[in-house]
Amino acid sequence: MKKILIINLKRLGDVYTTSHLINSLLLESPTSEISLLVYEESLQAAQNIKGVSQVHSINRKKIITLSASQIFSDALAFERLHHETKAVLDVQWDEVINYSNDSVSTLISSSLSNSITGRKIGPSFDSNYCLQVNSDWDHVFNDILTQMPLPPIHFQDCYHKMCDIELSQDGEKVKFNPKHNQNAFKNLKKLRSYFADDSNINLIGLQLTSSVEEKAPRKETYIHLIKKMMRTNLYVPILLVAPSESDRDLAKEVNSNFQNKLVVAEADLSALASVMINLDFVITPDTVTKHIADLTETPCLEISLGEAPFLKQGTRLHQSHILTCSLNKRIFSNKLPNTKIEGTPDQRDLINAQDIFSCLDYILQEELAPQLSEYISLYSPTLDALGLRYDVVAGEIPYQIELQRLIHRIYLTALLNDPASNEMNETINKVLELSRDSIDNKSWLESEKATATETTRDLLSTLRSLLICQDNPKKVTEFIYALDQLLTHCDTCSMSSMATQLFKGRLESLGRASLSQNIKQVESVLYHLKTDLQLIFSCIKDIENAIHEDRRQRSHSVGTTQPRV
Amino acid sequence: MTCKLPITEKYEIKVAKNGSKVPVVNDVHLHSIYDPQREAKQLVERQSDHWNKKRDVLIFGLGFGYHVQAVIEMLEQKPGSYNIIVIEPNMKVASDCVELGLVDTKKVYLCSGYTPQDIYTNRDLIDFLLRKPAMFSHPPSFNLYSDYFKNMLSYQAPKELESISRQFQSAELRTLFGSFDQTLSLNEMAQRLSMNHNQKSEKDFLIMAYHEMVKKSLSLTDEVNK
């Protein structure tokens, strides 16, 4: 029996996402005993995950209150942390996974060195305070995904690659309470029975709120949407509310526009999954609801606004979709004012009721791709060799961004999967499809090429200065300067920045010995970067050739087509 | 910072018009000399408006507990458990109150004769305070022992490791922290650990994790204090 500890010190929604990894780990090794370490505020989510043997929690709020208050001794705060982690520190683990990869989880994972008999997955420090990783995928997670605003790989796929296991969709991932199941089934079945032909009726759960106001459409949008839904005989809206005063008040306000005839389903986290499995579809701006919809395999339309990072943590269900402002208008950071696009309305006003309604018809009635408002895109998840990919299926296509995202996926696959395989053919076809429609179909490649050229130049300069440094240790400043210059390419959001980030991660993982002691290792890491940069040129060449061949074939087919009479 | 308990120069027990007993400390009557129960009820009604349905109440000053009884009666009007802690500096008043059967010690946790340091290191009290209880002050007691209560409310726990180490219940932690520079604060020590590249133990990483967890709130507290 393998004892596995997963440290996830994120919020409720992120803790729910751990279910996918736990499910895959258990399918691969059913006798494993999996424990979770979470913050107390996410405890309920952890307890709702199926397959978890034990949940340990840290009451962060109490520790922070004790520490921040002048009246209490810091001994109380630290002793509480010590006490709450003791149960974890005292166990011999076969595997520890630093899932949340924040500074606290990394340090706690590091403090478990003597308690691990097997591997540590995700970043941690060794006793010399050097960053340790299990594989390059850990570097991707720690260095690339944290730096790129439009990450090339979904978090779940990255976690699975870090653990070197297949992501499995099979298996039940959340716990259900039989009593809640019974109630939800009984009530929603009764609701369906009110309609003459209930086979055409779709019960649509509407989550009105999100953790942050900016992430949810306005109340008026929902009211218009519900009016549209009620004009058809196809949709029955059900307001989903959490057991809180603010949620209840909002539902009451919305309901007052419909003579209080709307059905309201109030469910806490343990009951929400039971409600979900009895619905046909869910519309949600809230990530927790979205994650539970995914885990219960309830199709949903995720409305992604504000900093909600759908490219990292978006819905995984193939019937589900994501409605968002165009990616060239979004900033995925809560540190920047991102709700207002210059010269355009607030993001919350951009997505209107008609957009949501036509997406509903498109998904559930299999109608043609909807016409969406300006700046709005509808994404759908699809699978390629790297895992889940999001493609625009309606609305605005930000060609440059989409093409760049695709080529970043192709590069990452070539870099860390098998470079010789043809597994990304399908993604290359998608590149061809987009590049045919794009007006400016080459500048994205040119810009990647230019960045790769500059990075290679700086790499060669760094290698040169390292060689000089070997002969003349006084020249170390020049090497450091060159290295510094090389590392500036980490911020370019390109294939080169991915390679440079990977290099930076590998460099940081070298021991803390002096440069003269480490020089051979530094040299080897630099040569590794050289290979990775060469791979960029090879990827670009492959894509250029594919585009060229595609054009040749298309012009040939146009040339051979008989003119219409 | 140490704090002495207030000195009682004069103490007597009088009988109110309604027959209830009233303590008089240093010539200060701690309850109404006419009807202590009625006065207590009015006091509680006035102050409880701001309690927001809280079921934990911290009371400053016991006297002979008429207001404490009024608080109990108010809380017992609604179902569910409740917790009351009373802080009374005067041990004589507190023991007389208990002996006279004026306060039910099964329903109330009485802290009498505690220094602020005793209060803020008592684990039961700390857990209670972390639940952010409603506050009730008994005005005659609060005014009589104003220095004591002010000291208690403005108390600042010592930050140096020398003092912190002594507070640990775990011998393992006392030994661990005893090995560091005792003039540093815990956060300064954690910062030093993060800055230097010496060999680190499991516990060092836990101290650093602690610092990472609390440092945002510390910078906010520093800003507020500025």
Side-chain angles (χ1 to χ4, degrees), chain A residues 161-176:
Chain A
K161 296 209 180 279
M162 284 159 73
C163 295
D164 197 20
I165 54 166
E166 287 291 317
L167 194 154
S168 175
Q169 292 295 348
D170 303 333
E172 219 169 72
K173 301 178 194 92
V174 276
K175 283 181 190 162
F176 289 97

Side-chain angles (χ1 to χ4, degrees), chain B residues 112-194:
Chain B
S112 120
Y114 282 36
T115 65
Q117 202 168 0
D118 294 335
I119 288 169
Y120 296 122
T121 49
N122 179 310
R123 307 276 158 155
D124 291 336
L125 265 170
I126 290 159
D127 283 338
F128 178 81
L129 292 174
L130 287 174
R131 295 202 297 270
K132 296 184 179 154
M135 308 270 195
F136 178 95
S137 75
H138 177 231
S141 302
F142 200 89
N143 292 335
L144 179 64
Y145 312 119
S146 61
D147 284 349
Y148 171 83
F149 284 118
K150 275 179 195 161
N151 274 330
M152 199 187 80
L153 293 171
S154 60
Y155 177 76
Q156 291 197 357
K159 290 284 168 195
E160 297 76 31
L161 284 184
E162 186 193 8
S163 159
I164 289 171
S165 304
R166 282 201 301 268
Q167 300 293 328
F168 287 122
Q169 282 182 330
S170 138
E172 184 194 1
L173 292 182
R174 277 198 299 274
T175 314
L176 173 74
F177 282 84
S179 65
F180 292 99
D181 178 351
Q182 297 296 291
T183 59
L184 295 176
S185 71
L186 204 160
N187 288 305
E188 284 166 345
M189 170 200 153
Q191 258 170 333
R192 284 204 185 173
L193 278 174
S194 311

